[in-house]
Every structure is written in C-alpha cells, then in structure tokens.
Short mmCIF file of all heavy atoms in Angstrom, two decimals:
data_model
loop_
_atom_site.label_atom_id
_atom_site.label_comp_id
_atom_site.label_asym_id
_atom_site.label_seq_id
_atom_site.Cartn_x
_atom_site.Cartn_y
_atom_site.Cartn_z
N ALA W 292 -4.93 8.08 5.68
CA ALA W 292 -4.55 6.72 5.31
C ALA W 292 -2.91 6.59 5.50
O ALA W 292 -2.54 5.44 5.67
CB ALA W 292 -4.87 6.18 3.95
N VAL W 293 -2.27 7.69 5.26
CA VAL W 293 -0.78 7.67 5.35
C VAL W 293 -0.35 7.10 6.83
O VAL W 293 -0.89 7.53 7.77
CB VAL W 293 -0.25 9.02 5.12
CG1 VAL W 293 1.39 9.07 5.33
CG2 VAL W 293 -0.41 9.40 3.78
N GLY W 294 0.56 6.19 6.75
CA GLY W 294 0.95 5.57 8.13
C GLY W 294 0.22 4.27 8.51
O GLY W 294 0.55 3.56 9.35
N ARG W 295 -0.91 4.02 7.80
CA ARG W 295 -1.71 2.92 8.10
C ARG W 295 -1.04 1.59 7.53
O ARG W 295 -0.34 1.72 6.68
CB ARG W 295 -3.08 2.96 7.47
CG ARG W 295 -3.91 4.04 8.07
CD ARG W 295 -4.74 3.61 9.26
NE ARG W 295 -5.55 4.65 9.64
CZ ARG W 295 -6.57 4.47 10.55
NH1 ARG W 295 -6.53 3.42 11.21
NH2 ARG W 295 -7.24 5.51 10.91
N GLU W 296 -1.36 0.50 8.10
CA GLU W 296 -0.97 -0.69 7.64
C GLU W 296 -1.99 -1.44 6.99
O GLU W 296 -3.12 -1.36 7.37
CB GLU W 296 -0.27 -1.63 8.71
CG GLU W 296 0.90 -0.96 9.32
CD GLU W 296 1.40 -1.90 10.48
OE1 GLU W 296 1.12 -3.09 10.59
OE2 GLU W 296 2.17 -1.35 11.29
N GLY W 297 -1.70 -2.33 6.09
CA GLY W 297 -2.71 -3.12 5.42
C GLY W 297 -2.01 -4.43 4.82
O GLY W 297 -0.96 -4.76 4.97
N THR W 298 -2.95 -5.09 3.86
CA THR W 298 -2.33 -6.33 3.31
C THR W 298 -2.70 -6.38 1.94
O THR W 298 -3.77 -5.83 1.42
CB THR W 298 -3.17 -7.49 4.02
OG1 THR W 298 -2.97 -7.52 5.41
CG2 THR W 298 -2.65 -8.92 3.57
N VAL W 299 -1.75 -6.74 1.12
CA VAL W 299 -2.01 -6.83 -0.27
C VAL W 299 -3.14 -7.90 -0.67
O VAL W 299 -3.03 -8.92 -0.07
CB VAL W 299 -0.73 -7.26 -1.16
CG1 VAL W 299 -1.00 -7.50 -2.53
CG2 VAL W 299 0.37 -6.18 -0.75
N TYR W 300 -4.12 -7.51 -1.37
CA TYR W 300 -5.19 -8.31 -1.83
C TYR W 300 -5.02 -8.84 -3.13
O TYR W 300 -5.20 -9.96 -3.34
CB TYR W 300 -6.41 -7.41 -1.71
CG TYR W 300 -7.72 -8.16 -2.19
CD1 TYR W 300 -8.34 -9.05 -1.40
CD2 TYR W 300 -8.30 -7.66 -3.27
CE1 TYR W 300 -9.54 -9.76 -1.78
CE2 TYR W 300 -9.56 -8.23 -3.74
CZ TYR W 300 -10.09 -9.30 -2.87
OH TYR W 300 -11.31 -9.91 -3.29
N LEU W 301 -4.71 -8.01 -4.12
CA LEU W 301 -4.22 -8.49 -5.49
C LEU W 301 -2.85 -8.08 -5.73
O LEU W 301 -2.53 -6.78 -5.54
CB LEU W 301 -5.13 -7.90 -6.58
CG LEU W 301 -6.61 -8.42 -6.60
CD1 LEU W 301 -7.41 -7.61 -7.64
CD2 LEU W 301 -6.64 -9.77 -6.86
N THR W 302 -1.96 -8.84 -6.10
CA THR W 302 -0.52 -8.57 -6.25
C THR W 302 -0.33 -7.08 -6.79
O THR W 302 -0.92 -6.75 -7.72
CB THR W 302 0.17 -9.53 -7.19
OG1 THR W 302 0.09 -10.82 -6.60
CG2 THR W 302 1.67 -9.21 -7.49
N VAL W 303 0.53 -6.45 -6.17
CA VAL W 303 0.93 -5.05 -6.60
C VAL W 303 2.25 -5.29 -7.48
O VAL W 303 3.24 -5.53 -6.92
CB VAL W 303 1.28 -4.06 -5.48
CG1 VAL W 303 1.76 -2.70 -5.91
CG2 VAL W 303 -0.03 -3.91 -4.59
N PRO W 304 2.16 -5.19 -8.75
CA PRO W 304 3.35 -5.33 -9.66
C PRO W 304 4.29 -4.29 -9.44
O PRO W 304 4.00 -3.19 -9.13
CB PRO W 304 2.75 -5.39 -11.06
CG PRO W 304 1.39 -5.02 -11.01
CD PRO W 304 0.93 -4.98 -9.64
N ALA W 305 5.62 -4.53 -9.79
CA ALA W 305 6.60 -3.48 -9.73
C ALA W 305 6.31 -2.30 -10.51
O ALA W 305 6.72 -1.16 -10.26
CB ALA W 305 8.02 -4.04 -10.16
N ASP W 306 5.55 -2.48 -11.70
CA ASP W 306 5.29 -1.44 -12.66
C ASP W 306 3.80 -1.27 -13.00
O ASP W 306 3.46 -0.83 -14.09
CB ASP W 306 6.15 -1.65 -14.05
CG ASP W 306 5.70 -3.04 -14.71
OD1 ASP W 306 4.96 -3.71 -13.96
OD2 ASP W 306 6.14 -3.25 -15.74
N GLY W 307 3.01 -1.53 -12.03
CA GLY W 307 1.62 -1.47 -12.31
C GLY W 307 0.81 -1.37 -11.07
O GLY W 307 1.33 -0.94 -9.98
N VAL W 308 -0.51 -1.52 -11.13
CA VAL W 308 -1.54 -1.32 -10.05
C VAL W 308 -2.02 -2.59 -9.54
O VAL W 308 -2.44 -3.40 -10.32
CB VAL W 308 -2.70 -0.38 -10.52
CG1 VAL W 308 -3.58 -0.12 -9.43
CG2 VAL W 308 -2.16 0.95 -11.07
N GLY W 309 -2.04 -2.73 -8.16
CA GLY W 309 -2.70 -3.88 -7.49
C GLY W 309 -3.66 -3.32 -6.59
O GLY W 309 -4.08 -2.18 -6.64
N LYS W 310 -4.05 -4.18 -5.58
CA LYS W 310 -5.02 -3.73 -4.52
C LYS W 310 -4.65 -4.10 -3.21
O LYS W 310 -4.07 -5.26 -3.04
CB LYS W 310 -6.41 -4.36 -4.94
CG LYS W 310 -6.98 -3.85 -6.21
CD LYS W 310 -8.54 -3.86 -6.16
CE LYS W 310 -9.14 -3.42 -7.47
NZ LYS W 310 -9.22 -2.03 -7.35
N VAL W 311 -4.90 -3.23 -2.28
CA VAL W 311 -4.65 -3.57 -0.87
C VAL W 311 -5.86 -3.41 0.04
O VAL W 311 -6.77 -2.73 -0.43
CB VAL W 311 -3.50 -2.66 -0.21
CG1 VAL W 311 -2.19 -2.88 -0.95
CG2 VAL W 311 -3.86 -1.21 -0.23
N GLN W 312 -5.93 -4.08 1.03
CA GLN W 312 -7.06 -3.95 2.07
C GLN W 312 -6.57 -3.34 3.31
O GLN W 312 -5.35 -3.81 3.83
CB GLN W 312 -7.75 -5.27 2.28
CG GLN W 312 -8.44 -5.75 1.13
CD GLN W 312 -9.26 -7.00 1.48
OE1 GLN W 312 -8.79 -7.85 2.20
NE2 GLN W 312 -10.41 -7.10 1.00
N LEU W 313 -7.15 -2.32 3.90
CA LEU W 313 -6.81 -1.76 5.11
C LEU W 313 -8.22 -1.14 5.79
O LEU W 313 -9.11 -1.00 5.12
CB LEU W 313 -5.80 -0.70 5.04
CG LEU W 313 -6.09 0.58 4.10
CD1 LEU W 313 -5.29 1.71 4.62
CD2 LEU W 313 -5.92 0.33 2.73
N VAL W 314 -8.01 -1.02 7.11
CA VAL W 314 -9.21 -0.46 7.86
C VAL W 314 -9.18 1.09 7.90
O VAL W 314 -8.15 1.65 8.23
CB VAL W 314 -9.22 -1.06 9.32
CG1 VAL W 314 -10.39 -0.50 10.06
CG2 VAL W 314 -9.32 -2.56 9.32
N LEU W 315 -10.13 1.64 7.31
CA LEU W 315 -10.29 3.19 7.29
C LEU W 315 -11.71 3.45 7.87
O LEU W 315 -12.66 2.98 7.36
CB LEU W 315 -10.23 3.66 5.87
CG LEU W 315 -8.91 3.56 5.10
CD1 LEU W 315 -9.03 3.86 3.67
CD2 LEU W 315 -7.84 4.29 5.80
N GLN W 316 -11.74 4.35 8.86
CA GLN W 316 -12.96 4.68 9.64
C GLN W 316 -13.66 3.58 10.00
O GLN W 316 -14.88 3.36 9.83
CB GLN W 316 -13.73 5.68 8.51
CG GLN W 316 -13.07 6.94 8.24
CD GLN W 316 -13.67 7.81 7.21
OE1 GLN W 316 -14.70 7.36 6.65
NE2 GLN W 316 -13.37 9.11 7.11
N ASN W 317 -13.08 2.62 10.61
CA ASN W 317 -13.60 1.41 11.18
C ASN W 317 -14.29 0.59 10.15
O ASN W 317 -15.17 -0.26 10.45
CB ASN W 317 -14.54 1.65 12.29
CG ASN W 317 -13.97 2.45 13.40
OD1 ASN W 317 -12.82 1.96 13.94
ND2 ASN W 317 -14.54 3.37 13.96
N ARG W 318 -13.91 0.67 8.81
CA ARG W 318 -14.41 -0.27 7.80
C ARG W 318 -13.28 -0.87 6.93
O ARG W 318 -12.27 -0.11 6.67
CB ARG W 318 -15.34 0.54 6.87
CG ARG W 318 -16.55 1.04 7.61
CD ARG W 318 -17.37 1.85 6.69
NE ARG W 318 -17.88 1.11 5.70
CZ ARG W 318 -18.73 1.61 4.63
NH1 ARG W 318 -18.97 2.87 4.62
NH2 ARG W 318 -19.10 0.86 3.75
N LEU W 319 -13.42 -2.07 6.46
CA LEU W 319 -12.32 -2.67 5.64
C LEU W 319 -12.55 -2.08 4.27
O LEU W 319 -13.58 -2.21 3.72
CB LEU W 319 -12.58 -4.15 5.63
CG LEU W 319 -11.53 -4.97 4.74
CD1 LEU W 319 -10.09 -4.70 5.49
CD2 LEU W 319 -11.86 -6.38 4.79
N ALA W 320 -11.47 -1.50 3.79
CA ALA W 320 -11.54 -0.80 2.51
C ALA W 320 -10.61 -1.55 1.46
O ALA W 320 -9.49 -1.96 1.93
CB ALA W 320 -11.20 0.65 2.52
N THR W 321 -10.90 -1.62 0.25
CA THR W 321 -10.07 -2.22 -0.73
C THR W 321 -9.70 -1.12 -1.63
O THR W 321 -10.55 -0.38 -2.27
CB THR W 321 -10.69 -3.31 -1.49
OG1 THR W 321 -11.09 -4.35 -0.56
CG2 THR W 321 -9.74 -3.92 -2.57
N MET W 322 -8.35 -0.73 -1.84
CA MET W 322 -7.92 0.41 -2.49
C MET W 322 -6.74 0.03 -3.64
O MET W 322 -6.05 -0.82 -3.39
CB MET W 322 -7.28 1.37 -1.61
CG MET W 322 -8.13 1.76 -0.34
SD MET W 322 -9.55 2.71 -0.77
CE MET W 322 -8.80 4.32 -1.30
N ASP W 323 -6.80 0.85 -4.65
CA ASP W 323 -5.70 0.61 -5.67
C ASP W 323 -4.39 1.03 -4.99
O ASP W 323 -4.38 1.95 -4.14
CB ASP W 323 -5.92 1.59 -6.86
CG ASP W 323 -7.12 1.12 -7.80
OD1 ASP W 323 -7.56 -0.05 -7.73
OD2 ASP W 323 -7.67 1.93 -8.51
N ALA W 324 -3.27 0.33 -5.38
CA ALA W 324 -2.09 0.56 -4.80
C ALA W 324 -0.87 0.40 -5.76
O ALA W 324 -1.06 -0.44 -6.70
CB ALA W 324 -1.87 -0.25 -3.64
N VAL W 325 0.10 1.15 -5.74
CA VAL W 325 1.32 1.06 -6.51
C VAL W 325 2.47 1.03 -5.47
O VAL W 325 2.30 1.33 -4.37
CB VAL W 325 1.51 2.21 -7.50
CG1 VAL W 325 0.39 2.16 -8.46
CG2 VAL W 325 1.65 3.49 -6.71
N THR W 326 3.61 0.49 -5.99
CA THR W 326 4.84 0.51 -5.14
C THR W 326 6.10 1.12 -5.92
O THR W 326 6.01 1.04 -7.15
CB THR W 326 5.20 -0.82 -4.58
OG1 THR W 326 6.33 -0.77 -3.77
CG2 THR W 326 5.55 -1.81 -5.69
N ASP W 327 7.00 1.71 -5.27
CA ASP W 327 8.21 2.29 -5.90
C ASP W 327 9.56 1.46 -5.41
O ASP W 327 10.51 1.85 -5.53
CB ASP W 327 8.36 3.68 -5.83
CG ASP W 327 8.65 4.18 -4.40
OD1 ASP W 327 8.65 3.39 -3.41
OD2 ASP W 327 8.78 5.40 -4.20
N GLY W 328 9.16 0.32 -4.71
CA GLY W 328 10.35 -0.44 -4.22
C GLY W 328 11.06 -1.28 -5.23
O GLY W 328 11.97 -1.92 -4.81
N GLY W 329 10.66 -1.38 -6.49
CA GLY W 329 11.41 -2.09 -7.47
C GLY W 329 11.08 -3.63 -7.46
O GLY W 329 11.63 -4.24 -8.34
N GLU W 330 10.16 -4.06 -6.68
CA GLU W 330 9.72 -5.33 -6.66
C GLU W 330 8.24 -5.48 -6.52
O GLU W 330 7.55 -4.68 -5.86
CB GLU W 330 10.47 -6.20 -5.63
CG GLU W 330 10.11 -5.76 -4.15
CD GLU W 330 10.63 -6.61 -3.14
OE1 GLU W 330 10.71 -7.84 -3.36
OE2 GLU W 330 11.04 -6.08 -2.02
N ALA W 331 7.70 -6.56 -7.06
CA ALA W 331 6.22 -6.87 -6.93
C ALA W 331 5.95 -7.19 -5.36
O ALA W 331 6.73 -7.77 -4.69
CB ALA W 331 5.77 -7.94 -7.74
N LEU W 332 4.82 -6.91 -5.04
CA LEU W 332 4.34 -7.22 -3.65
C LEU W 332 3.22 -8.36 -3.79
O LEU W 332 2.07 -7.95 -4.23
CB LEU W 332 3.89 -6.05 -2.88
CG LEU W 332 4.84 -4.93 -2.74
CD1 LEU W 332 4.19 -3.69 -2.10
CD2 LEU W 332 6.07 -5.40 -1.91
N PRO W 333 3.56 -9.53 -3.44
CA PRO W 333 2.44 -10.58 -3.63
C PRO W 333 1.33 -10.62 -2.68
O PRO W 333 1.37 -10.00 -1.57
CB PRO W 333 3.19 -11.91 -3.57
CG PRO W 333 4.55 -11.58 -2.79
CD PRO W 333 4.69 -10.08 -2.95
N THR W 334 0.15 -11.19 -3.00
CA THR W 334 -0.95 -11.24 -2.21
C THR W 334 -0.50 -11.76 -0.79
O THR W 334 0.28 -12.77 -0.61
CB THR W 334 -2.05 -12.16 -2.79
OG1 THR W 334 -2.41 -11.74 -4.03
CG2 THR W 334 -3.18 -12.44 -1.92
N GLY W 335 -1.00 -11.14 0.27
CA GLY W 335 -0.81 -11.38 1.67
C GLY W 335 0.32 -10.77 2.25
O GLY W 335 0.56 -10.66 3.43
N THR W 336 1.17 -9.92 1.46
CA THR W 336 2.21 -9.14 1.99
C THR W 336 1.66 -8.03 2.88
O THR W 336 0.73 -7.24 2.57
CB THR W 336 3.05 -8.49 0.85
OG1 THR W 336 3.54 -9.55 0.08
CG2 THR W 336 4.20 -7.80 1.47
N ARG W 337 2.29 -7.75 4.06
CA ARG W 337 2.01 -6.71 5.00
C ARG W 337 2.67 -5.39 4.34
O ARG W 337 3.80 -5.51 3.96
CB ARG W 337 2.46 -6.91 6.35
CG ARG W 337 1.73 -8.01 7.07
CD ARG W 337 0.39 -7.83 7.39
NE ARG W 337 0.08 -6.72 8.23
CZ ARG W 337 -1.00 -6.07 8.42
NH1 ARG W 337 -2.05 -6.53 7.88
NH2 ARG W 337 -0.99 -5.12 9.41
N VAL W 338 1.86 -4.36 4.32
CA VAL W 338 2.44 -3.12 3.69
C VAL W 338 2.04 -1.94 4.53
O VAL W 338 1.09 -1.98 5.32
CB VAL W 338 1.84 -2.89 2.33
CG1 VAL W 338 2.45 -3.92 1.21
CG2 VAL W 338 0.36 -2.91 2.17
N GLY W 339 2.76 -0.81 4.40
CA GLY W 339 2.38 0.39 4.99
C GLY W 339 2.13 1.45 3.88
O GLY W 339 2.71 1.45 2.78
N VAL W 340 1.23 2.40 4.12
CA VAL W 340 0.83 3.36 3.21
C VAL W 340 1.82 4.55 3.32
O VAL W 340 1.94 5.11 4.39
CB VAL W 340 -0.60 3.90 3.36
CG1 VAL W 340 -0.91 5.04 2.49
CG2 VAL W 340 -1.55 2.79 3.17
N VAL W 341 2.47 5.01 2.36
CA VAL W 341 3.45 6.11 2.30
C VAL W 341 2.87 7.33 1.87
O VAL W 341 3.11 8.43 2.32
CB VAL W 341 4.61 5.74 1.40
CG1 VAL W 341 5.64 6.88 1.37
CG2 VAL W 341 5.28 4.46 1.86
N ARG W 342 2.05 7.25 0.85
CA ARG W 342 1.41 8.44 0.29
C ARG W 342 0.12 8.07 -0.42
O ARG W 342 -0.07 6.97 -0.86
CB ARG W 342 2.32 9.06 -0.71
CG ARG W 342 2.06 10.44 -1.32
CD ARG W 342 3.09 11.04 -2.13
NE ARG W 342 3.51 10.13 -3.40
CZ ARG W 342 4.69 9.77 -3.58
NH1 ARG W 342 5.79 10.20 -2.78
NH2 ARG W 342 5.01 9.10 -4.59
N VAL W 343 -0.83 9.08 -0.45
CA VAL W 343 -2.16 8.89 -1.08
C VAL W 343 -2.15 9.76 -2.31
O VAL W 343 -1.75 10.91 -2.26
CB VAL W 343 -3.28 9.30 -0.23
CG1 VAL W 343 -4.61 9.18 -1.08
CG2 VAL W 343 -3.35 8.39 0.95
N ALA W 344 -2.30 9.16 -3.63
CA ALA W 344 -2.29 9.93 -4.77
C ALA W 344 -3.62 10.69 -4.99
O ALA W 344 -4.59 10.50 -4.39
CB ALA W 344 -2.11 8.96 -6.03
N ASP W 345 -3.46 11.75 -5.92
CA ASP W 345 -4.80 12.59 -6.16
C ASP W 345 -5.86 11.86 -6.49
O ASP W 345 -6.96 12.10 -6.14
CB ASP W 345 -4.50 13.51 -7.25
CG ASP W 345 -3.47 14.64 -6.92
OD1 ASP W 345 -3.19 14.86 -5.60
OD2 ASP W 345 -2.70 15.15 -7.74
N GLY W 346 -5.73 10.67 -7.34
CA GLY W 346 -6.81 9.84 -7.74
C GLY W 346 -7.51 8.89 -6.62
O GLY W 346 -8.29 8.12 -6.89
N GLY W 347 -6.79 8.84 -5.52
CA GLY W 347 -7.19 8.05 -4.40
C GLY W 347 -6.31 6.71 -4.29
O GLY W 347 -6.40 6.08 -3.28
N GLY W 348 -5.64 6.49 -5.30
CA GLY W 348 -4.65 5.35 -5.13
C GLY W 348 -3.60 5.57 -4.08
O GLY W 348 -3.39 6.66 -3.71
N MET W 349 -2.97 4.51 -3.71
CA MET W 349 -1.89 4.55 -2.56
C MET W 349 -0.58 4.03 -2.95
O MET W 349 -0.50 3.14 -3.67
CB MET W 349 -2.44 3.81 -1.36
CG MET W 349 -3.83 4.24 -0.81
SD MET W 349 -4.12 3.41 0.68
CE MET W 349 -5.72 4.29 1.03
N LEU W 350 0.54 4.78 -2.43
CA LEU W 350 1.87 4.23 -2.59
C LEU W 350 2.09 3.60 -1.42
O LEU W 350 2.01 4.05 -0.23
CB LEU W 350 2.81 5.42 -2.81
CG LEU W 350 4.27 4.99 -2.78
CD1 LEU W 350 4.54 4.16 -4.06
CD2 LEU W 350 5.16 6.30 -2.76
N VAL W 351 2.43 2.17 -1.60
CA VAL W 351 2.68 1.40 -0.34
C VAL W 351 4.06 0.69 -0.49
O VAL W 351 4.61 0.56 -1.59
CB VAL W 351 1.64 0.28 -0.28
CG1 VAL W 351 0.26 0.77 -0.02
CG2 VAL W 351 1.65 -0.72 -1.51
N VAL W 352 4.61 0.31 0.65
CA VAL W 352 6.03 -0.38 0.72
C VAL W 352 5.80 -1.54 1.64
O VAL W 352 4.94 -1.61 2.52
CB VAL W 352 7.09 0.57 1.20
CG1 VAL W 352 7.26 1.66 0.34
CG2 VAL W 352 6.78 1.12 2.66
N ARG W 353 6.59 -2.58 1.42
CA ARG W 353 6.49 -3.71 2.24
C ARG W 353 6.92 -3.44 3.65
O ARG W 353 7.73 -2.49 4.03
CB ARG W 353 7.56 -4.71 1.65
CG ARG W 353 7.77 -5.99 2.55
CD ARG W 353 8.86 -6.91 2.06
NE ARG W 353 8.74 -7.21 0.58
CZ ARG W 353 8.20 -8.26 0.01
NH1 ARG W 353 7.50 -9.08 0.90
NH2 ARG W 353 8.08 -8.41 -1.24
N LYS W 354 6.05 -3.85 4.64
CA LYS W 354 6.23 -3.55 6.04
C LYS W 354 7.70 -3.85 6.52
O LYS W 354 8.20 -4.90 6.02
CB LYS W 354 5.39 -4.37 6.81
CG LYS W 354 5.02 -3.89 8.25
CD LYS W 354 4.32 -2.55 8.34
CE LYS W 354 4.33 -2.01 9.77
NZ LYS W 354 5.12 -0.98 10.00
N GLY W 355 8.27 -2.97 7.16
CA GLY W 355 9.64 -3.07 7.61
C GLY W 355 10.76 -2.37 6.79
O GLY W 355 11.90 -2.31 7.02
N VAL W 356 10.20 -1.79 5.60
CA VAL W 356 11.02 -0.95 4.70
C VAL W 356 11.14 0.46 5.26
O VAL W 356 10.17 1.08 5.67
CB VAL W 356 10.67 -1.07 3.23
CG1 VAL W 356 11.35 0.04 2.40
CG2 VAL W 356 10.64 -2.40 2.71
N ALA W 357 12.47 1.02 5.34
CA ALA W 357 12.55 2.44 5.88
C ALA W 357 12.01 3.37 4.82
O ALA W 357 12.21 3.10 3.64
CB ALA W 357 13.98 2.69 6.13
N VAL W 358 11.15 4.27 5.27
CA VAL W 358 10.61 5.42 4.41
C VAL W 358 11.11 6.78 4.93
O VAL W 358 11.07 7.00 6.23
CB VAL W 358 9.08 5.29 4.55
CG1 VAL W 358 8.47 6.50 3.66
CG2 VAL W 358 8.58 3.94 4.04
N GLN W 359 11.56 7.55 3.93
CA GLN W 359 12.03 8.91 4.27
C GLN W 359 11.46 9.88 3.25
O GLN W 359 11.69 9.66 2.02
CB GLN W 359 13.53 8.96 4.27
CG GLN W 359 14.03 10.33 4.77
CD GLN W 359 15.57 10.29 4.99
OE1 GLN W 359 16.34 9.39 4.26
NE2 GLN W 359 16.12 11.00 5.87
N ASP W 360 10.82 10.88 3.72
CA ASP W 360 10.22 11.96 2.78
C ASP W 360 9.33 11.29 1.70
O ASP W 360 9.43 11.75 0.55
CB ASP W 360 11.22 12.70 2.13
CG ASP W 360 12.17 13.53 3.15
OD1 ASP W 360 11.60 13.99 4.14
OD2 ASP W 360 13.35 13.81 3.00
N GLY W 361 8.61 10.30 2.07
CA GLY W 361 7.58 9.80 1.18
C GLY W 361 8.19 8.83 0.04
O GLY W 361 7.60 8.30 -0.78
N GLN W 362 9.47 8.37 0.31
CA GLN W 362 10.14 7.52 -0.64
C GLN W 362 10.65 6.24 0.18
O GLN W 362 11.21 6.50 1.28
CB GLN W 362 11.27 8.19 -1.37
CG GLN W 362 10.83 9.45 -2.11
CD GLN W 362 10.00 9.11 -3.35
OE1 GLN W 362 10.31 8.10 -4.14
NE2 GLN W 362 8.98 9.89 -3.58
N ALA W 363 10.60 5.19 -0.50
CA ALA W 363 11.27 3.93 0.15
C ALA W 363 12.79 4.12 -0.05
O ALA W 363 13.26 4.57 -0.94
CB ALA W 363 10.67 2.68 -0.59
N SER W 364 13.44 3.63 1.04
CA SER W 364 14.94 3.61 1.00
C SER W 364 15.45 2.24 1.26
O SER W 364 14.74 1.30 1.74
CB SER W 364 15.40 4.65 1.85
OG SER W 364 15.13 4.48 3.26
#
C-alpha cells in the first residue's frame, strides 16, 4: 500500500484516527489512517500512503507534500 494514492473518507484529525479509501488488489478498501503533518485532513482530500503500521493502519500525507524517509517534510 505504500506509495498508493487514496481519498479521505472520514476526516483524519491531526491527533487521531480517520479513514481513507484506496484501491488494493483491484478492490476498494477503507482503512484506518493517521497523519503527522500537523493538520487535519478533511473528507475528500487526496492523500498518499507513506507507511503501514503493524496494526494495519496507514500513515498518510496530503497529496503534493514531500516525503523523505517515511516522514512528511
């Protein structure tokens, strides 16, 4: 899933968990997501997956944000 693009389904708060939708294995999946960009990502925001956590949740950043070594910059 790392490197895939998706769309925020339920707002991803700056300090909490939201949901994103993306296509995985030719199926639309809804996954838990967090961000470390310091700002909430509202519903409809295009995002990229930076990292997948052990529990299956995803670290996402707003599309167009530079990512280096798994961190938004």
Side-chain angles (χ1 to χ4, degrees):
V293 174
R295 297 271 186 174
E296 294 181 18
T298 303
V299 175
Y300 176 68
L301 291 175
T302 297
V303 180
D306 61 351
V308 179
K310 294 202 178 280
V311 297
Q312 290 185 323
L313 62 156
V314 176
L315 295 174
Q316 297 178 346
N317 294 319
R318 298 178 63 184
L319 184 63
T321 302
M322 308 290 293
D323 288 341
V325 297
T326 184
D327 68 355
E330 66 174 321
L332 302 173
T334 299
T336 303
R337 296 289 300 161
V338 294
V340 178
V341 177
R342 186 171 62 232
V343 177
D345 291 337
M349 300 183 177
L350 174 65
V351 298
V352 294
R353 183 183 303 271
K354 195 70 181 110
V356 172
V358 175
Q359 185 174 28
D360 298 328
Q362 300 292 321
S364 57

